[in-house]
Amino acid sequence: LLGTSEAPSIHRQAGPAPPDAEEHRLSDPSAGRGLLLLARHGWRLLIVLGAAAASLYYVLPNPGAQQLYVAGFCATVGFVMLATSFVHHPGRPAFWLSCGAGLLVKAAGDVCNYLARFALETEQTATLWSNACYIATYAIFVAALVLLVRHRDPGAFRINSIDTLIIVTNCGV
């Protein structure tokens, strides 16, 4: 103790100190391999999951269950788009936020339509709300695609707007 420059510490552990988690992650080449594979081949996983989700729709027993399934699927995708926009902070988040909001509004329209047809068995007041949600969905998706086209090529906005309207009309039909 008298000849050392270090003061004794009761918190010191015997043996080498454990490596910092960040240093270990950066020094180990296999640590990020799973994420790299997911980033490269994640689209294949999405295709498989999408095919499974589409086939599940046709297995459901009645149209009411199918409509609720579609509403739940749209709501899930909408919430995921909103959450990832807030977590990952894309450069232009307005497009992703409006797409997520459009999917949530479409899901609300599907739920209103389900309530009108199957739960309440009336087609007047609840159908008005579902139609309002569906029309609002068109407006939100048009705004999202206009934002996307405007960001892509700001100078040729009018020419690209026709392409946007064609895409939105095809998606709506």
Side-chain angles (χ1 to χ4, degrees), residues 9-19:
S9 173
I10 59 171
H11 299 292
R12 188 173 296 172
Q13 298 175 354

Side-chain angles (χ1 to χ4, degrees), residues 4-155:
T4 62
S5 62
E6 292 182 20
S9 173
I10 59 171
H11 299 292
R12 188 173 296 172
Q13 298 175 354
D20 186 50
E22 185 70 21
E23 289 177 12
H24 178 67
R25 187 182 67 80
L26 293 176
S27 65
D28 186 12
S30 65
R33 187 168 290 158
L35 290 176
L36 183 64
L37 285 174
L38 183 63
R40 285 186 184 164
H41 304 289
W43 61 272
R44 292 180 181 162
L45 177 66
L46 288 178
I47 288 175
V48 169
L49 291 175
S55 60
L56 179 63
Y57 171 82
Y58 293 107
V59 175
L60 293 173
N62 59 19
Q66 290 175 339
Q67 192 166 11
L68 282 179
Y69 178 74
V70 169
F73 192 78
C74 285
T76 302
V77 173
F79 279 125
V80 166
M81 289 180 90
L82 291 176
T84 54
S85 294
F86 287 115
V87 170
H88 295 292
H89 305 292
R92 307 269 183 195
F95 169 73
W96 298 106
L97 292 173
S98 55
C99 282
L103 287 170
L104 290 176
V105 172
K106 188 220 180 284
D110 287 342
V111 169
C112 288
N113 195 12
Y114 169 79
L115 290 174
R117 288 187 173 180
F118 300 105
L120 302 175
E121 296 180 3
T122 62
E123 299 245 349
Q124 293 176 347
T125 57
T127 304
L128 173 71
W129 289 106
S130 63
N131 288 339
C133 288
Y134 292 143
I135 290 171
T137 300
Y138 280 117
I140 293 170
F141 281 139
V142 166
L145 286 174
V146 164
L147 287 170
L148 183 67
V149 169
R150 219 178 208 182
H151 173 64
R152 183 183 68 174
D153 192 9

